[in-house]
Amino acid sequence: MAEKITQRILQDISVPEEKQCHLCSRCGLCLSVCPTYRETLRETDSPRARLMLLRKVIEGELQISRGFVAKMYGCLNCLACNVICPVGIKPSDIALAARSMIHQARPQSLLQSLIFGNYFSHSSLMELSVLPMFLYQCLGIQGAVRAFGILERLPEQLRDMERMLPPLPERSLRHRLPEVMPARGERKYRIGFFLGCFQNIVFTNVSAATVRVLAHNGCEVVTPKDIKCCGMPHVGHGDLKTARTLARHNIDILEKLDVDAIVTDCATCGSTLKTYDSLLAEDAEYNVRARAISAKVKDISEFLGAIPLREPQHPQRARVTYHDACHLRRGQNVWSEPRQLLQLAGAELIELREADWCCGSAGMQIIMNYKGSMQILARKIQNIAATEATIVYAGCPGCQLQLGLGAKRFGLKVLIEHPIQLLDRSYQ
Amino acid sequence: MLSAEILKEFVQIVGSEHVLTSPEDLIAYSYDGTSVEYCPDAVVSPFNTEQVSRVMQVCYREGICVVPRGMASGLAGGAVPVSGGVSLCLTRMNRVLNLDTENMMVRVEAGIITADLQAQVESVGLFYPPDPSSVRHSTIGGNVACNAGGARCLKYGVTRDYVMGLTVVLSDGRILQTGTKAIKNVTSYDLKNLFVGSEGTLGIITEVLLKLIPKPEFARTAMAVYPLLENASVTVNNVLRAGVLPATIELMDNTTIETIEEYLHLGLPTNVAAILIIEVDGSDEETVTKQIETIGQVCRASGASDVRLAKTETERADLWRGRRSVLPSLVRRGPDQLSEDISLPRAAIPEAIRRIKAISEKYGLTIAVFGHAGDGNLHPSILYDKRDPEQVRRMEQASRDIFNIAIELGGTLSGEHGIGVLKLPFLRLALSPIEIELMQAIKHVFDPKGILNPGKKFPYHIKN
Ligand SMILES: Cc1cc2nc3c(=O)[nH]c(=O)nc-3n(C[C@H](O)[C@H](O)[C@H](O)COP(=O)(O)OP(=O)(O)OC[C@H]3O[C@@H](n4cnc5c(N)ncnc54)[C@H](O)[C@@H]3O)c2cc1C
């Protein structure tokens, strides 16, 4: 009976490519790099098992059960398995595709669609709730509890969610940044700056620094104000429809800018913008346009690494370390550039052990999979402590939030920043 | 199906988090590196030897089948619970218990990932040589249970050569300690070696004492290309007779090379009969360099049309990339493949490959041959499509013919992957009635109720 229902549901929705799951030879190499497997040492939390479970659902031997949903949402989407699979399967992408399937198969609760359907999509709405952002987070937790019914609620979790948020700036950056920031000296490039949701509201200092550093190095910086969320939270949640709507909106705006490059200082925004072409692969109207936009997108460190830079006036002699955000290292193959920026700024860079191992942030993991997320974080914090660095750098706001929480949780005296902030200080 | 009472007992022993029974969990523990699939009735993950012992006491009392499991990278279906029962997963037991640099030995729990163990001993300048390609995704317990080999076996031997002692939980839950740190030991029968390669059918290995050696600092690699298969084979002997013992001599035949090229475009020479990849290592750079040069000369003198020496670490990695890409390339070409593991006297390799080619023609199936030419262990891999019953039938016949070749040429069914379920039907080709009778008796001593990994390794019939 249950199988029948699953089969009926599957008839009407788009299902991840069956062939991909079948190609898996089950060699198990992905287990060696999967942060969730290495934490629980349980096969069910491995990419190999996720492929197998999905295959069983497609073949009608397993229903879209709570357990199945939990496993598909338990993937951190850190992309490590994508890179290592010798057969070329992308289990991390397939877990996202499975979420999209789940999303289509289950009824949307009002609350859920409120969070994902509206919250990130409307920047002004998001700003409205800046003050009670913490409230939103709680709403997020409880929404998830109700919508997915896969969480036990932990008081500790609520406390950590609260601790995770740094003191919020009074005003969002969107209102403070000029529409066009002129280049200092001769204008060499015209840059479109994609201001991400988190930098706009939480880490305003980061993007303020990004725009300053760009201008300082001869860039005229245009920051479009009507840009919306890049769409990653929706892709992560399985809501491809909203993600595509957002992508089309952003493409419309970015196309008009007439710029040499589109720069972002958020790893997640960057990797999402760079894959707008595949997100809209089946959209006849937007497909080619998406490709043109994706080709222009550069992470800030990637862009700065490719142009001549001014020498810093005030080298910053700190002992620092660098954490590779998944969506920079594997999502965009950007890893040497941010390290070079830190060294250019004068820092003594201590290489972090397992620098490219996921920190456990992965978007919603603190909400969806609190315990696992904290275990993975503990491993990261241990490695950071071993470097004896005073500042940890990461090019991703999600990582920054998570590492900040880790420092508090484990009592580690260390500052968490974005590489651009050090370079910015060295110029002042 | 296990009763609620029994599950409760397991929970009391290992904790509720470590007894899994959801459909998702049972599916996740239903497979290994083959295409064999059977779900267990429950997955139990103990934390130490004592918990393993208590779990075994329950299973023995109730007559529940137990299938020990490492990381399920096995290529014989060994960790697949073909008769249901408990999948006993050892991955939580992953501690290094004692690293004794003075005696150069390490005691570890069975569930440690072999690469993690290697990294730990290498951090103090020691070396654990066995290197199955699956080092990063297999456990030392699984390696011992299968007596895993690898590319370096020619010089360094197989897992067995490093096992000094074992802690084993017997089928009734008794805990056996066998072996010591004394290098020489002839005190009565060598029990520990019975467990090496026993594939989980004689007891649950929970701790392993391993011998280590100093780490060789330098390695050099060469690739030799051959227009004739015989010449590649002759090279192996000529190299060894020239007084050089390489760490590895790996062979790939033309079908293998073509398959890799088809999918990866690494720039390997096609239209050749075979390639050898040879690596030497040691602690003196000059000696190692001299050795690889000698090998280059021997290869040419033995008929290699081209020899490439890797000059840098990157070039060396590139040479190995081809070898490591064999299995995945075969998977892509497949759609399905059965990788055999026959082991032969070294000199029989050319004849074996010739006969395998004939089988390939006879059944109209692609068979790629590659493997460890240095020690005579070949992996003929039959490509087929399992959706076509006719092809499956031909594949099965070809597979039997390959086993027959191995036996006729004085070799055997499996060199390192094990018998598991996949090779069980062919066991009588390789074993004499006396051997079977003795093994039957041994199995009976260790597992009178037949609960340890039934249906694997050996066709055991419980005595009444
Ligand atoms: C890509 C790939 C490459 C490989 N390359 C090689 C190679 O080069 N050389 C080689 O020899 N093998 C190779 N293998 C096969 C496999 O990796 C080895 O057999 C390995 O030793 C299995 O270890 P595991 O922990 O995965 O064991 P599993 O697959 O979990 O189990 C294998 C067998 O050992 C038993 N077992 C496991 N742990 C214990 C224990 N603690 N006590 C008692 N019994 C136990 C199981 O019951 C089963 O019968 C390869 C496999 C793959 C997928």
Side-chain angles (χ1 to χ4, degrees), chain B residues 68 70-74 78 90 133-134 138-139 142-143 145 148-149 199-200 205 416 453:
Chain B
M71 280 175 94
S73 69
L90 287 128
S133 315
S134 54
S138 65
T139 64
N143 291 175
E199 298 180 36
I205 299 162
E416 55 181 25
N453 211 359

Side-chain angles (χ1 to χ4, degrees), chain A residues 25-29 48, chain B residues 32-33 67-75 77-80 88 90 110-111 131-135 137-151 159 198-201 203-206 323 327-328 372 377 379 415-418 420 453 456:
Chain A
S25 71
R26 306 179 210 177
C27 71
L29 185 55
R48 175 168 68 168
Chain B
D32 68 352
V67 183
R69 185 185 192 275
M71 280 175 94
S73 69
L75 293 177
V80 177
L88 191 68
L90 287 128
D131 63 335
S133 315
S134 54
V135 269
H137 49 112
S138 65
T139 64
I140 194 72
N143 291 175
V144 174
C146 296
N147 190 16
T159 303
S198 65
E199 298 180 36
T201 59
I204 316 292
I205 299 162
T206 58
R323 170 61 182 88
L327 271 178
H372 319 299
N377 187 190
H379 300 308
E416 55 181 25
H417 294 166
N453 211 359
K456 315 284 173 61

Side-chain angles (χ1 to χ4, degrees), chain B residues 85-122:
Chain B
V86 168
S87 171
L88 191 68
C89 174
L90 287 128
T91 49
R92 285 177 69 221
M93 294 182 57
N94 61 0
R95 286 152 291 207
V96 172
L97 299 172
N98 173 254
L99 179 49
D100 177 351
T101 49
E102 225 163 298
N103 285 306
M104 298 209 283
M105 283 183 202
V106 66
R107 176 177 283 281
V108 293
E109 289 183 318
I112 191 169
I113 298 175
T114 308
D116 289 358
L117 153 72
Q118 285 178 335
Q120 292 228 22
V121 303
E122 280 173 38

Side-chain angles (χ1 to χ4, degrees), chain B residues 351-386:
Chain B
E351 180 58 23
I353 296 184
R354 242 191 320 268
R355 294 198 197 176
I356 292 169
K357 299 269 165 202
I359 291 177
S360 164
E361 299 232 323
K362 178 173 162 198
Y363 294 107
L365 293 169
T366 305
I367 305 181
V369 185
F370 61 96
H372 319 299
D375 56 34
N377 187 190
L378 292 183
H379 300 308
S381 298
I382 312 173
L383 303 185
Y384 68 105
D385 185 344
K386 73 175 167 206

Side-chain angles (χ1 to χ4, degrees), chain A residues 23 25-29 31-33 37-38 41-44 48-49 52-53 55-56 65 68 86-87 371, chain B residues 17 20 24-25 27-29 31-35 37 69 71-72 91 94 113 116 136-137 328 331-332:
Chain A
L23 265 183
S25 71
R26 306 179 210 177
C27 71
L29 185 55
L31 274 64
S32 66
V33 295
Y37 174 77
R38 292 298 294 260
L41 298 169
R42 191 179 293 154
E43 177 80 28
T44 328
R48 175 168 68 168
M52 179 59 103
L53 292 176
R55 200 189 104 194
K56 293 289 172 187
S65 57
F68 174 74
V87 183
K371 209 174 141 210
Chain B
E17 244 184 281
L20 310 175
E24 295 79 24
D25 288 313
I27 288 172
Y29 286 81
Y31 52 78
D32 68 352
T34 65
S35 54
E37 275 173 38
R69 185 185 192 275
M71 280 175 94
T91 49
N94 61 0
I113 298 175
D116 289 358
R136 295 175 66 190
H137 49 112
V331 169
R332 303 224 108 197

